[in-house]
Amino acid sequence: MIRVHHLNISRSLRVIWLLEEMGVPYELVRHRRDKKTMRAPLALRDLHPLGKLPLVEVGGKVLAETGLIIEYLLAHHAPHLAPAATDADAHWRYRYWMHYAEGSLMPQLLLKLIADKMGLLALPIRGMVKEQVKLHLDYVEKEAGRSPWLAGNEFSAADIMMSFPLEVSVMRAGVTAATHPNITRVLSAMQARPAYQRAVAQAADKG
């Protein structure tokens, strides 16, 4: 059995979504953020020294980092959700987005969140942060217009991986259908998938 540790308001929805796409049974263990600090429970460090989610327990191992978890699950259960190397363009676009999501886009969005919370103290960096967020979102907007899904004509795990930063972009960075129609289109297609909707229902805060 695959055990998924899920934190409310977190990246772990992507792992649940992937499992729903694969139709693989799993156990969901819910954890809650501290309502004042919004930090994860310290008890999670008993599972992994960093105490960050998602974490997945499978085959006697504890897996951390969304990208690694997705790669492990794909290799064991759903290789069809990663374009084959024989389709070189889709394969390398897929691998690019798998790394870009957390390696490039999310750091810019996190900087924006921090700068917004700092108020006047963030004045020295606010212009740079705004410029970088715009640069990245303009880039994703252009790339999202190349094909129905981010890696090509078929839905892949790259779309799952990119879903979180795109949703954050809507919430925090002013992405709308008017400003970024291609991002909005692909994000709407992601959210319309039955497996995504089942994942949202599974991950819903139960109290």
Side-chain angles (χ1 to χ4, degrees):
M1 175 62 73
I2 298 169
R3 180 178 294 118
V4 181
H5 292 269
H6 167 65
L7 186 66
N8 60 314
I9 319 172
S10 77
R11 292 164 163 84
S12 48
L13 175 65
R14 291 179 293 187
V15 175
I16 302 170
W17 179 12
L18 176 62
L19 288 163
E20 290 290 340
E21 289 281 356
M22 297 188 307
V24 174
Y26 63 94
E27 175 189 353
L28 188 62
V29 181
R30 292 181 174 85
H31 303 271
R32 295 180 59 81
R33 295 182 183 274
D34 183 282
K35 290 183 178 180
K36 291 183 178 179
T37 66
M38 292 304 291
R39 299 184 68 177
L42 290 177
L44 288 174
R45 295 182 185 178
D46 294 336
L47 289 170
H48 188 279
L50 297 180
K52 305 293 185 182
L53 294 184
L55 292 174
V56 167
E57 294 181 81
V58 58
K61 297 181 287 292
V62 175
L63 304 178
E65 295 295 338
T66 306
L68 173 65
I69 292 168
I70 289 178
E71 288 186 352
Y72 179 94
L73 294 175
L74 291 178
H76 288 79
H77 300 284
H80 65 283
L81 288 175
T86 51
D87 185 351
D89 183 59
H91 175 75
W92 288 108
R93 286 182 69 186
Y94 159 82
R95 295 191 68 176
Y96 175 81
W97 292 117
M98 289 292 290
H99 290 275
Y100 174 84
E102 294 291 339
S104 292
L105 183 53
M106 272 308 301
Q108 303 305 324
L109 296 170
L110 180 59
L111 278 174
K112 183 180 187 306
L113 172 64
I114 294 170
D116 289 346
K117 288 183 177 294
M118 289 176 64
L120 292 176
L121 293 174
L123 281 177
I125 65 167
R126 184 162 288 139
M128 179 198 70
V129 171
K130 182 178 179 180
E131 176 186 327
Q132 285 299 308
V133 169
K134 183 180 186 304
L135 176 69
H136 279 271
L137 292 179
D138 287 350
Y139 168 71
V140 177
E141 171 67 15
K142 181 178 179 181
E143 290 295 310
R146 289 180 56 188
S147 54
W149 299 100
L150 289 174
N153 292 327
E154 302 297 330
F155 173 80
S156 74
D159 299 295
I160 295 176
M161 192 67 181
M162 279 290 292
S163 64
F164 183 76
L166 295 186
E167 289 175 331
V168 171
S169 298
V170 171
M171 292 186 291
R172 299 178 184 163
V175 167
T176 67
T179 62
H180 298 83
N182 294 325
I183 290 177
T184 303
R185 175 197 59 78
V186 75
L187 182 57
S188 295
M190 294 173 186
Q191 294 171 337
R193 293 183 70 84
Y196 174 90
Q197 296 173 12
R198 292 194 300 272
V200 169
Q202 287 289 337
D205 195 334
K206 304 299 182 180

